[in-house]
């Protein structure tokens, strides 16, 4: 998800809202309630970034979140 014209704090608040919605939502499968969590990676453009380097850094942040535990937000 790209949040143009959004500072890091605004992105963090938006992601936290999404996490809370997913955490509280009741997913049903085969008459069972499933718990679903999401991990996110956040980054912001740096000077001389290309789209590729920006997306790579975001991808690294996601993998860092997964490595450090579920239902996390990491930023680089």
């Amino acid at each position: 998800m790209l949040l143009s014209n959004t500072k890091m704090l605004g992105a963090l608040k938006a992601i936290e809202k999404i996490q809370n919605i997913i955490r509280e939502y009741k997913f049903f499968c085969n008459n069972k309630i499933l718990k679903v969590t999401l991990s996110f990676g956040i980054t912001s453009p740096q000077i001389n970034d290309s789209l590729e380097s920006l997306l790579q850094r975001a991808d690294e942040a996601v993998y860092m979140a997964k490595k450090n535990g579920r239902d996390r937000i990491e930023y680089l």
Side-chain angles (χ1 to χ4, degrees):
M1 175 171 43
L2 296 175
L3 301 173
S4 61
N5 300 318
T6 304
K7 296 192 186 286
M8 189 66 81
L9 185 58
L12 182 59
K13 287 182 180 184
I15 296 304
E16 286 173 341
K17 284 182 184 181
I18 292 169
Q19 270 189 320
N20 287 330
I21 290 167
I22 295 297
R23 226 182 261 133
E24 294 172 9
Y25 190 83
K26 291 182 178 16
F27 292 90
F28 292 95
C29 181
N30 296 326
N31 295 324
K32 294 182 182 180
I33 297 174
L34 302 177
K35 180 178 179 177
V36 176
T37 61
L38 298 175
S39 295
F40 292 89
I42 300 174
T43 194
S44 59
Q46 306 297 316
I47 297 173
N48 298 324
D49 251 347
S50 65
L51 179 58
E52 183 177 316
S53 63
L54 177 67
L55 293 176
Q56 182 175 354
R57 201 168 46 256
D59 192 49
E60 288 172 17
V62 170
Y63 281 101
M64 193 166 72
K66 289 180 179 187
K67 179 182 173 186
N68 291 332
R70 291 195 154 108
D71 202 27
R72 294 183 56 86
I73 302 169
E74 297 285 347
Y75 32 89
L76 293 176

Coordinates of all heavy atoms in Angstrom, one line a residue:
M1 N 0.9 -1.1 0.0 CA 0.0 0.0 0.0 C 0.9 1.2 0.0 O 1.8 1.3 0.8 CB -0.9 0.0 1.3 CG -1.7 1.1 1.4 SD -3.0 1.0 2.8 CE -2.1 0.3 4.1
L2 N 0.7 2.1 -0.9 CA 1.4 3.4 -0.9 C 0.6 4.5 -0.4 O -0.6 4.7 -0.8 CB 1.9 3.7 -2.4 CG 2.8 2.7 -3.0 CD1 3.1 3.1 -4.5 CD2 4.1 2.6 -2.3
L3 N 1.1 5.2 0.6 CA 0.4 6.3 1.2 C 1.1 7.6 0.8 O 2.0 8.1 1.6 CB 0.3 6.2 2.7 CG -0.4 4.9 3.2 CD1 -0.3 4.8 4.7 CD2 -1.9 4.9 2.8
S4 N 0.8 8.2 -0.3 CA 1.5 9.4 -0.8 C 1.2 10.5 0.1 O 0.1 10.6 0.7 CB 1.2 9.7 -2.2 OG -0.2 9.9 -2.4
N5 N 2.1 11.5 0.3 CA 1.9 12.7 1.1 C 1.5 12.3 2.5 O 0.8 13.0 3.2 CB 0.8 13.6 0.5 CG 1.2 14.0 -0.9 OD1 2.3 14.4 -1.1 ND2 0.2 14.0 -1.8
T6 N 2.1 11.2 3.0 CA 1.8 10.8 4.4 C 3.2 10.6 5.1 O 4.0 9.9 4.6 CB 1.1 9.5 4.5 OG1 -0.1 9.6 3.7 CG2 0.7 9.0 5.9
K7 N 3.3 11.3 6.3 CA 4.5 11.1 7.0 C 4.5 9.8 7.8 O 3.5 9.1 7.9 CB 4.7 12.3 8.0 CG 4.8 13.6 7.3 CD 5.3 14.7 8.3 CE 5.3 16.0 7.6 NZ 6.3 16.3 6.7
M8 N 5.7 9.4 8.3 CA 5.8 8.1 8.9 C 4.8 7.9 10.1 O 4.2 6.8 10.2 CB 7.2 7.9 9.5 CG 7.5 6.5 10.0 SD 7.6 5.3 8.7 CE 9.2 5.5 8.0
L9 N 4.6 8.9 10.9 CA 3.6 8.8 12.0 C 2.2 8.5 11.5 O 1.4 7.7 12.0 CB 3.6 10.0 12.9 CG 2.8 9.9 14.1 CD1 3.1 8.7 15.0 CD2 2.9 11.2 14.9
G10 N 1.8 9.2 10.4 CA 0.5 9.0 9.8 C 0.4 7.6 9.2 O -0.7 7.0 9.3
A11 N 1.4 7.1 8.6 CA 1.4 5.8 8.0 C 1.3 4.7 9.2 O 0.5 3.8 9.1 CB 2.7 5.5 7.2
L12 N 2.0 5.0 10.2 CA 1.9 4.1 11.4 C 0.5 4.0 12.0 O 0.0 2.9 12.3 CB 2.9 4.5 12.5 CG 3.0 3.6 13.7 CD1 3.4 2.2 13.4 CD2 4.0 4.2 14.7
K13 N -0.1 5.2 12.1 CA -1.5 5.2 12.6 C -2.4 4.5 11.7 O -3.3 3.8 12.2 CB -1.9 6.6 12.9 CG -1.2 7.3 14.1 CD -1.7 8.7 14.3 CE -1.1 9.3 15.5 NZ -1.6 10.7 15.8
A14 N -2.3 4.6 10.4 CA -3.2 4.0 9.4 C -3.0 2.5 9.5 O -4.0 1.7 9.5 CB -2.9 4.5 8.0
I15 N -1.8 2.0 9.6 CA -1.5 0.6 9.7 C -2.0 0.0 11.0 O -2.6 -1.1 11.1 CB 0.0 0.3 9.5 CG1 0.5 0.7 8.1 CG2 0.4 -1.2 9.8 CD1 -0.2 0.1 7.0
E16 N -1.9 0.7 12.1 CA -2.4 0.3 13.4 C -3.9 0.1 13.3 O -4.5 -0.8 13.9 CB -2.0 1.2 14.5 CG -0.5 1.1 14.9 CD -0.1 2.2 15.9 OE1 -0.8 3.2 16.0 OE2 0.9 2.0 16.5
K17 N -4.6 1.0 12.6 CA -6.0 0.9 12.5 C -6.4 -0.4 11.7 O -7.3 -1.1 12.1 CB -6.6 2.1 11.8 CG -6.7 3.4 12.6 CD -7.3 4.5 11.8 CE -7.4 5.8 12.7 NZ -8.0 6.9 11.9
I18 N -5.7 -0.6 10.6 CA -5.9 -1.8 9.8 C -5.7 -3.1 10.7 O -6.5 -4.0 10.7 CB -5.1 -1.8 8.6 CG1 -5.5 -0.7 7.6 CG2 -5.1 -3.2 7.9 CD1 -4.6 -0.4 6.5
Q19 N -4.6 -3.1 11.4 CA -4.3 -4.2 12.3 C -5.4 -4.5 13.3 O -5.8 -5.6 13.5 CB -3.0 -4.0 13.1 CG -1.8 -4.5 12.4 CD -0.5 -4.4 13.3 OE1 -0.4 -3.5 14.0 NE2 0.3 -5.4 13.2
N20 N -5.9 -3.4 13.9 CA -7.0 -3.6 14.9 C -8.2 -4.1 14.3 O -8.9 -5.0 14.8 CB -7.2 -2.3 15.6 CG -6.1 -1.9 16.6 OD1 -5.5 -2.8 17.2 ND2 -5.9 -0.7 16.8
I21 N -8.6 -3.7 13.1 CA -9.8 -4.1 12.4 C -9.6 -5.6 12.1 O -10.6 -6.4 12.3 CB -10.0 -3.3 11.1 CG1 -10.5 -1.9 11.4 CG2 -11.0 -4.0 10.2 CD1 -10.5 -1.0 10.3
I22 N -8.5 -6.0 11.6 CA -8.3 -7.4 11.2 C -8.2 -8.3 12.5 O -8.8 -9.4 12.6 CB -6.9 -7.6 10.5 CG1 -7.0 -6.9 9.1 CG2 -6.6 -9.1 10.3 CD1 -8.1 -7.5 8.2
R23 N -7.6 -7.8 13.6 CA -7.5 -8.5 14.8 C -8.9 -8.8 15.4 O -9.2 -9.9 16.0 CB -6.8 -7.7 15.8 CG -5.7 -8.4 16.6 CD -5.0 -7.5 17.6 NE -3.8 -7.0 17.1 CZ -3.3 -5.8 17.1 NH1 -4.1 -4.8 17.6 NH2 -2.2 -5.5 16.6
E24 N -9.8 -7.8 15.3 CA -11.2 -8.0 15.9 C -12.2 -8.7 15.0 O -13.2 -9.1 15.5 CB -11.7 -6.6 16.2 CG -10.9 -5.9 17.4 CD -11.2 -4.5 17.6 OE1 -12.2 -4.0 17.0 OE2 -10.5 -3.8 18.3
Y25 N -11.9 -8.8 13.7 CA -12.8 -9.4 12.8 C -12.9 -10.9 13.0 O -11.9 -11.5 13.2 CB -12.4 -9.1 11.3 CG -13.5 -9.4 10.3 CD1 -14.5 -8.6 10.0 CD2 -13.4 -10.6 9.7 CE1 -15.5 -8.9 9.1 CE2 -14.4 -11.0 8.7 CZ -15.4 -10.1 8.5 OH -16.4 -10.5 7.6
K26 N -14.1 -11.4 12.9 CA -14.2 -12.9 13.1 C -14.3 -13.5 11.7 O -15.2 -13.4 10.9 CB -15.5 -13.2 13.9 CG -15.4 -12.8 15.3 CD -16.7 -13.1 16.0 CE -16.7 -12.8 17.5 NZ -15.8 -11.9 18.1
F27 N -13.2 -14.3 11.4 CA -13.1 -15.0 10.1 C -13.6 -16.4 10.4 O -13.2 -17.1 11.3 CB -11.7 -15.1 9.6 CG -11.1 -13.7 9.2 CD1 -10.5 -12.9 10.0 CD2 -11.3 -13.3 7.8 CE1 -10.0 -11.7 9.6 CE2 -10.8 -12.1 7.4 CZ -10.2 -11.3 8.3
F28 N -14.6 -16.9 9.6 CA -15.1 -18.2 9.8 C -14.7 -19.1 8.6 O -14.7 -18.8 7.5 CB -16.7 -18.2 9.8 CG -17.2 -17.5 11.0 CD1 -17.5 -16.1 10.9 CD2 -17.4 -18.2 12.1 CE1 -18.1 -15.5 12.1 CE2 -17.9 -17.6 13.3 CZ -18.3 -16.2 13.2
C29 N -14.3 -20.3 9.0 CA -13.9 -21.4 8.0 C -14.3 -22.7 8.6 O -13.8 -23.1 9.7 CB -12.4 -21.3 7.7 SG -11.9 -22.5 6.5
N30 N -15.1 -23.5 7.9 CA -15.6 -24.8 8.4 C -16.1 -24.7 9.8 O -15.8 -25.5 10.7 CB -14.4 -25.8 8.4 CG -14.0 -26.0 6.9 OD1 -14.8 -26.0 6.0 ND2 -12.7 -26.3 6.8
N31 N -17.0 -23.7 10.0 CA -17.7 -23.5 11.3 C -16.7 -23.2 12.5 O -17.0 -23.5 13.6 CB -18.6 -24.7 11.7 CG -19.7 -24.8 10.7 OD1 -20.2 -23.8 10.2 ND2 -20.0 -26.1 10.4
K32 N -15.5 -22.8 12.2 CA -14.6 -22.4 13.2 C -14.2 -20.9 13.0 O -14.1 -20.4 11.9 CB -13.3 -23.2 13.1 CG -13.5 -24.7 13.5 CD -12.2 -25.4 13.4 CE -12.5 -26.9 13.7 NZ -11.2 -27.7 13.6
I33 N -13.9 -20.3 14.1 CA -13.4 -18.9 14.0 C -11.9 -18.9 13.9 O -11.2 -19.6 14.8 CB -13.9 -18.1 15.3 CG1 -15.4 -18.0 15.4 CG2 -13.3 -16.7 15.3 CD1 -15.9 -17.3 16.6
L34 N -11.4 -18.2 13.0 CA -10.0 -18.2 12.8 C -9.4 -16.8 13.2 O -10.0 -15.8 13.0 CB -9.6 -18.3 11.3 CG -10.1 -19.6 10.6 CD1 -9.7 -19.5 9.1 CD2 -9.5 -20.8 11.2
K35 N -8.2 -16.9 13.9 CA -7.6 -15.7 14.3 C -6.6 -15.3 13.1 O -5.7 -16.1 12.7 CB -6.8 -15.9 15.6 CG -6.1 -14.6 16.0 CD -5.4 -14.8 17.3 CE -4.7 -13.5 17.6 NZ -4.0 -13.5 18.9
V36 N -6.7 -14.1 12.6 CA -5.8 -13.6 11.5 C -5.1 -12.4 12.0 O -5.6 -11.5 12.7 CB -6.7 -13.3 10.3 CG1 -5.8 -12.7 9.2 CG2 -7.4 -14.5 9.8
T37 N -3.8 -12.4 11.8 CA -3.0 -11.3 12.1 C -2.1 -10.9 10.9 O -2.0 -11.7 10.0 CB -2.0 -11.6 13.3 OG1 -1.1 -12.6 12.9 CG2 -2.8 -11.9 14.5
L38 N -1.7 -9.7 10.9 CA -0.9 -9.2 9.7 C 0.4 -8.5 10.3 O 0.4 -7.8 11.3 CB -1.7 -8.1 8.9 CG -3.0 -8.6 8.3 CD1 -3.7 -7.4 7.6 CD2 -2.7 -9.7 7.2
S39 N 1.5 -8.7 9.5 CA 2.7 -8.0 9.8 C 3.0 -7.0 8.7 O 2.7 -7.3 7.5 CB 3.9 -9.0 9.9 OG 3.7 -9.9 11.0
F40 N 3.5 -5.9 9.1 CA 3.7 -4.8 8.1 C 5.1 -4.3 8.1 O 5.7 -4.3 9.2 CB 2.8 -3.6 8.4 CG 1.3 -3.9 8.2 CD1 0.5 -4.4 9.2 CD2 0.7 -3.6 6.9 CE1 -0.8 -4.7 9.0 CE2 -0.6 -3.9 6.7 CZ -1.4 -4.4 7.7
G41 N 5.6 -3.8 7.0 CA 6.8 -3.1 6.9 C 6.6 -1.7 6.3 O 5.8 -1.6 5.4
I42 N 7.1 -0.7 7.0 CA 6.9 0.7 6.6 C 8.3 1.3 6.3 O 9.3 1.1 7.0 CB 6.3 1.5 7.7 CG1 4.9 0.9 8.1 CG2 6.1 3.0 7.3 CD1 4.3 1.6 9.3
T43 N 8.3 2.1 5.2 CA 9.5 2.9 4.9 C 9.0 4.2 4.3 O 7.9 4.4 3.9 CB 10.5 2.1 4.0 OG1 11.7 2.8 4.0 CG2 9.9 2.0 2.6
S44 N 9.9 5.1 4.1 CA 9.6 6.4 3.4 C 10.7 6.6 2.4 O 11.9 6.2 2.6 CB 9.5 7.5 4.4 OG 10.7 7.7 5.1
P45 N 10.4 7.4 1.4 CA 11.4 7.6 0.3 C 12.6 8.4 0.9 O 12.5 9.2 1.7 CB 10.7 8.5 -0.7 CG 9.2 8.3 -0.4 CD 9.1 8.0 1.1
Q46 N 13.8 8.0 0.4 CA 15.0 8.6 0.7 C 15.6 9.3 -0.5 O 15.2 9.0 -1.6 CB 16.1 7.6 1.2 CG 15.6 6.7 2.3 CD 15.3 7.5 3.6 OE1 16.0 8.3 4.0 NE2 14.2 7.2 4.2
I47 N 16.4 10.3 -0.3 CA 17.0 11.0 -1.4 C 17.7 9.9 -2.3 O 18.4 9.0 -1.8 CB 18.1 12.0 -0.9 CG1 17.3 13.1 -0.1 CG2 18.8 12.6 -2.1 CD1 18.3 14.1 0.5
N48 N 17.6 10.1 -3.6 CA 18.1 9.2 -4.6 C 17.5 7.8 -4.7 O 18.0 6.9 -5.3 CB 19.7 9.1 -4.5 CG 20.4 10.4 -4.7 OD1 19.9 11.2 -5.5 ND2 21.4 10.6 -3.9
D49 N 16.4 7.6 -4.0 CA 15.6 6.3 -4.1 C 15.1 6.1 -5.5 O 14.6 7.1 -6.1 CB 14.5 6.3 -3.1 CG 14.7 5.4 -1.9 OD1 15.6 4.6 -1.9 OD2 13.9 5.5 -0.9
S50 N 15.1 4.9 -5.9 CA 14.3 4.5 -7.1 C 13.1 3.8 -6.5 O 13.0 3.4 -5.3 CB 15.1 3.6 -8.0 OG 15.4 2.3 -7.3
L51 N 12.1 3.6 -7.4 CA 10.9 2.8 -6.9 C 11.4 1.4 -6.4 O 10.9 0.9 -5.4 CB 9.9 2.7 -8.0 CG 8.6 1.9 -7.7 CD1 7.9 2.5 -6.5 CD2 7.7 1.8 -8.9
E52 N 12.3 0.8 -7.1 CA 12.8 -0.5 -6.8 C 13.5 -0.5 -5.4 O 13.2 -1.4 -4.6 CB 13.8 -1.0 -7.8 CG 14.3 -2.4 -7.6 CD 15.3 -2.9 -8.7 OE1 15.0 -2.6 -9.8 OE2 16.3 -3.5 -8.3
S53 N 14.3 0.5 -5.1 CA 15.0 0.5 -3.8 C 14.0 0.8 -2.7 O 14.1 0.3 -1.6 CB 16.1 1.5 -3.8 OG 15.7 2.8 -4.0
L54 N 13.0 1.6 -2.9 CA 12.0 1.9 -2.0 C 11.2 0.6 -1.6 O 11.0 0.3 -0.5 CB 11.0 3.0 -2.5 CG 9.9 3.4 -1.6 CD1 10.3 4.0 -0.3 CD2 8.9 4.3 -2.3
L55 N 10.7 -0.1 -2.7 CA 10.0 -1.3 -2.4 C 10.8 -2.4 -1.8 O 10.3 -3.2 -1.0 CB 9.4 -1.8 -3.8 CG 8.3 -0.9 -4.4 CD1 7.9 -1.4 -5.7 CD2 7.1 -0.7 -3.4
Q56 N 12.1 -2.4 -2.1 CA 13.0 -3.4 -1.5 C 13.1 -3.2 0.0 O 13.1 -4.1 0.8 CB 14.4 -3.4 -2.2 CG 15.3 -4.5 -1.6 CD 16.6 -4.5 -2.4 OE1 16.8 -3.9 -3.4 NE2 17.5 -5.3 -1.9
R57 N 13.3 -1.9 0.4 CA 13.4 -1.6 1.8 C 12.1 -1.9 2.5 O 12.1 -2.4 3.6 CB 13.7 -0.1 1.9 CG 14.3 0.2 3.3 CD 15.0 1.6 3.3 NE 14.2 2.7 2.8 CZ 14.4 3.3 1.6 NH1 15.4 2.9 0.8 NH2 13.6 4.2 1.2
A58 N 10.9 -1.7 1.9 CA 9.7 -2.0 2.5 C 9.5 -3.5 2.7 O 9.1 -4.0 3.7 CB 8.5 -1.5 1.7
D59 N 10.0 -4.3 1.7 CA 10.0 -5.7 1.7 C 10.9 -6.2 2.8 O 10.5 -7.1 3.6 CB 10.4 -6.3 0.4 CG 10.2 -7.7 0.2 OD1 9.1 -8.2 0.5 OD2 11.1 -8.5 -0.2
E60 N 12.0 -5.6 3.0 CA 12.9 -6.0 4.1 C 12.3 -5.7 5.5 O 12.4 -6.5 6.4 CB 14.2 -5.2 4.0 CG 15.1 -5.6 2.9 CD 16.3 -4.7 2.7 OE1 16.7 -3.9 3.6 OE2 16.9 -4.7 1.6
A61 N 11.5 -4.7 5.6 CA 10.9 -4.3 6.8 C 9.8 -5.4 7.1 O 9.6 -5.8 8.3 CB 10.3 -2.9 6.8
V62 N 9.1 -5.8 6.1 CA 8.0 -6.9 6.3 C 8.7 -8.2 6.8 O 8.2 -8.8 7.8 CB 7.3 -7.1 5.0 CG1 6.4 -8.4 5.1 CG2 6.4 -6.0 4.6
Y63 N 9.8 -8.6 6.2 CA 10.5 -9.8 6.6 C 11.0 -9.6 8.0 O 11.0 -10.6 8.8 CB 11.5 -10.2 5.6 CG 10.9 -10.9 4.4 CD1 10.7 -10.2 3.2 CD2 10.5 -12.2 4.5 CE1 10.1 -10.9 2.1 CE2 9.8 -12.9 3.4 CZ 9.7 -12.2 2.3 OH 9.1 -12.8 1.2
M64 N 11.5 -8.5 8.3 CA 11.9 -8.2 9.7 C 10.8 -8.4 10.7 O 11.0 -8.9 11.8 CB 12.5 -6.8 9.8 CG 13.3 -6.5 11.0 SD 14.3 -5.0 10.9 CE 13.1 -3.8 11.0
A65 N 9.6 -7.9 10.3 CA 8.4 -8.0 11.2 C 8.1 -9.5 11.4 O 7.8 -9.9 12.5 CB 7.2 -7.2 10.6
K66 N 8.1 -10.2 10.3 CA 7.8 -11.6 10.4 C 8.8 -12.4 11.3 O 8.5 -13.3 12.1 CB 7.7 -12.3 9.0 CG 6.5 -11.8 8.2 CD 6.5 -12.5 6.9 CE 5.3 -12.0 6.1 NZ 5.1 -12.8 4.9
K67 N 10.1 -12.0 11.1 CA 11.1 -12.7 11.9 C 11.0 -12.3 13.4 O 11.3 -13.2 14.2 CB 12.5 -12.2 11.4 CG 13.7 -12.8 12.1 CD 15.0 -12.2 11.5 CE 16.1 -12.7 12.4 NZ 17.4 -12.0 12.0
N68 N 10.6 -11.1 13.7 CA 10.6 -10.7 15.1 C 9.3 -11.1 15.8 O 9.1 -10.8 17.0 CB 10.8 -9.2 15.2 CG 12.2 -8.8 14.8 OD1 13.1 -9.6 15.0 ND2 12.4 -7.6 14.3
G69 N 8.3 -11.7 15.1 CA 7.1 -12.1 15.7 C 5.9 -11.7 14.9 O 6.0 -10.9 14.0
R70 N 4.8 -12.3 15.2 CA 3.6 -12.1 14.4 C 2.9 -10.8 14.8 O 3.1 -10.3 15.9 CB 2.6 -13.2 14.5 CG 3.1 -14.5 13.9 CD 2.0 -15.4 13.7 NE 2.2 -16.3 12.6 CZ 2.5 -17.6 12.8 NH1 2.6 -18.1 13.9 NH2 2.7 -18.3 11.7
D71 N 2.1 -10.2 13.9 CA 1.3 -9.1 14.2 C 2.1 -7.9 14.6 O 1.8 -7.2 15.6 CB 0.2 -9.5 15.3 CG -1.0 -8.6 15.3 OD1 -1.3 -8.0 14.2 OD2 -1.6 -8.4 16.3
R72 N 3.1 -7.6 13.8 CA 4.1 -6.5 14.1 C 4.1 -5.5 13.0 O 3.8 -5.8 11.9 CB 5.5 -7.1 14.3 CG 5.6 -8.0 15.5 CD 7.1 -8.4 15.7 NE 8.0 -7.3 15.8 CZ 8.3 -6.6 16.9 NH1 7.8 -7.0 18.0 NH2 9.2 -5.6 16.8
I73 N 4.7 -4.3 13.4 CA 5.0 -3.3 12.4 C 6.4 -3.0 12.6 O 6.9 -2.7 13.7 CB 4.1 -2.0 12.6 CG1 2.6 -2.4 12.6 CG2 4.5 -1.0 11.6 CD1 1.7 -1.2 13.0
E74 N 7.2 -3.0 11.5 CA 8.6 -2.7 11.5 C 8.8 -1.6 10.5 O 8.1 -1.5 9.5 CB 9.5 -3.8 11.2 CG 9.5 -5.0 12.3 CD 10.2 -4.6 13.5 OE1 11.0 -3.6 13.6 OE2 10.0 -5.4 14.5
Y75 N 9.8 -0.7 10.8 CA 10.0 0.3 9.8 C 11.6 0.5 9.6 O 12.3 0.4 10.5 CB 9.4 1.7 10.1 CG 9.2 2.0 11.6 CD1 10.2 2.7 12.3 CD2 8.1 1.6 12.2 CE1 10.1 2.9 13.6 CE2 7.9 1.8 13.6 CZ 8.9 2.5 14.3 OH 8.8 2.8 15.6
L76 N 11.9 0.8 8.4 CA 13.3 1.1 8.0 C 13.3 2.4 7.3 O 12.5 2.9 6.7 CB 13.8 0.0 7.0 CG 14.0 -1.4 7.5 CD1 14.4 -2.3 6.4 CD2 15.0 -1.4 8.6

